[in-house]
């Protein structure tokens, strides 16, 4: 499919495990004229993920895979082939992909993380930032490599931590910024 701007639209999949608010913002972005991507598949590691509802709302195919099993990644690769998926966006995806899988998509898997990497890799980022009396936290979009939250940084957004900040209020503030940052990072990766 080619949009009026003339470039080829890259077919992508978004991987989720939970609420899917980043998925929703990515779908909205993908349907604007400036988007170089379409979202053709939603992959969830969790059959109960709330974000799966966006498959129905936006008419996007959904697949649920049990990432505990090795065959899951092979099944995903087969699905990707069938639908010509070339790129992956991780959005609140709670499983670790294998080295082999990541190597196959080198430079084509992006992730969003709710901290100013390299600070606070892994889980519970907001509480750890508060415990360390940080003045700022934020979010990062980065390429995925085989080390957790360690791939090349594409874009970051800083968020000020207020006096009476709680882990929930900080999460909310940062999430609102995540929704803007991910589309911007995609445009950057495509040099747009
Ligand atoms: C986001 O904060 C994301 O950075 C983190 O998990 C959260 C997912 O939120 N990895 P949602 O599922 O996109 O609403």
């Amino acid at each position: 499919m080619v949009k009026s701007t003339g470039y080829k639209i890259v077919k992508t999949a978004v991987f989720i495990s939970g609420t899917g608010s980043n998925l929703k913002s990515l779908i909205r972005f993908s349907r604007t004229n400036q988007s170089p991507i379409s979202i053709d598949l939603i992959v969830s590691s969790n059959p109960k993920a709330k974000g799966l509802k966006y498959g129905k709302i936006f008419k996007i195919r959904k697949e649920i895979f049990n990432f505990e099993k090795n065959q899951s990644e092979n099944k995903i690769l087969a699905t990707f082939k069938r639908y010509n998926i070339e790129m992956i966006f991780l959005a609140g995806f709670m499983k670790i992909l294998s080295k082999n899988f990541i190597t196959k998509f080198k430079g084509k898997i992006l992730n969003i993380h709710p901290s100013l990497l390299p600070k606070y890799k892994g889980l519970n980022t907001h509480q750890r930032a508060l415990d360390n009396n940080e003045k700022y936290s934020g979010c990062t979009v980065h390429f995925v490599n085989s080390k957790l939250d360690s791939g090349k940084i594409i874009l970051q957004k800083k968020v000020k931590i207020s006096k009476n900040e709680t882990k929930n209020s900080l999460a909310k503030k940062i999430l609102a910024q995540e929704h803007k940052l991910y589309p911007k990072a995609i445009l950057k990766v495509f040099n747009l």
Side-chain angles (χ1 to χ4, degrees):
M1 185 169 99
V2 178
K3 283 197 182 167
S4 54
T5 39
Y7 46 75
K8 178 179 164 265
I9 298 299
V10 172
K11 295 190 179 218
T12 73
V14 179
F15 284 25
I16 62 165
S17 301
T19 317
S21 68
N22 277 292
L23 165 66
K24 184 181 169 197
S25 91
L26 287 176
I27 296 171
R28 287 212 167 128
F29 163 70
S30 75
R31 295 184 177 186
T32 63
N33 273 333
Q34 55 168 173
S35 172
I37 55 127
S38 60
I39 295 171
D40 301 88
L41 182 66
I42 298 167
V43 171
S44 177
S45 62
N46 170 10
K48 293 194 176 133
K50 287 199 183 132
L52 282 168
K53 71 176 180 216
Y54 296 116
K56 196 164 186 191
I57 296 173
F58 292 100
K59 301 199 167 43
I60 299 172
R61 170 176 301 275
K62 312 169 277 192
E63 300 269 355
I64 295 154
F65 292 103
N66 173 357
F67 283 80
E68 307 303 333
K69 294 192 183 143
N70 285 342
Q71 316 122 293
S72 295
E73 288 187 349
N74 290 335
K75 284 189 194 155
I76 293 173
L77 290 174
T79 311
F80 277 15
K81 235 184 179 166
R82 199 171 323 132
Y83 300 106
N84 297 314
I85 302 293
E86 291 179 47
M87 207 170 172
I88 303 165
F89 304 120
L90 307 184
F93 180 65
M94 300 302 284
K95 298 282 176 182
I96 309 263
L97 297 166
S98 75
K99 219 173 176 172
N100 183 36
F101 187 89
I102 292 169
T103 311
K104 281 204 171 90
F105 288 92
K106 197 166 179 277
K108 296 199 165 164
I109 311 179
L110 272 59
N111 181 41
I112 188 149
H113 184 76
S115 78
L116 292 173
L117 290 173
K119 282 190 168 180
Y120 310 115
K121 295 172 184 175
L123 297 175
N124 204 18
T125 53
H126 306 309
Q127 191 59 54
R128 287 190 284 147
L130 293 176
D131 290 347
N132 281 343
N133 294 316
E134 297 282 5
K135 288 200 169 64
Y136 293 91
S137 189
C139 44
T140 304
V141 178
H142 63 94
F143 287 108
V144 172
N145 66 11
S146 54
K147 275 197 197 153
L148 183 70
D149 299 329
S150 298
K152 189 169 175 248
I153 291 171
I154 300 161
L155 271 186
Q156 293 187 302
K157 175 73 184 177
K158 226 170 158 183
V159 168
K160 199 167 175 8
I161 297 182
S162 329
K163 263 200 180 142
N164 297 316
E165 202 79 76
T166 64
K167 116 181 160 181
N168 289 341
S169 65
L170 184 58
K172 207 171 157 191
K173 255 162 55 175
I174 291 179
L175 194 59
Q177 294 305 321
E178 291 183 37
H179 298 156
K180 296 183 198 164
L181 192 71
Y182 219 155
K184 275 190 192 162
I186 293 171
L187 289 171
K188 189 173 173 197
V189 166
F190 281 82
N191 289 318
L192 292 170

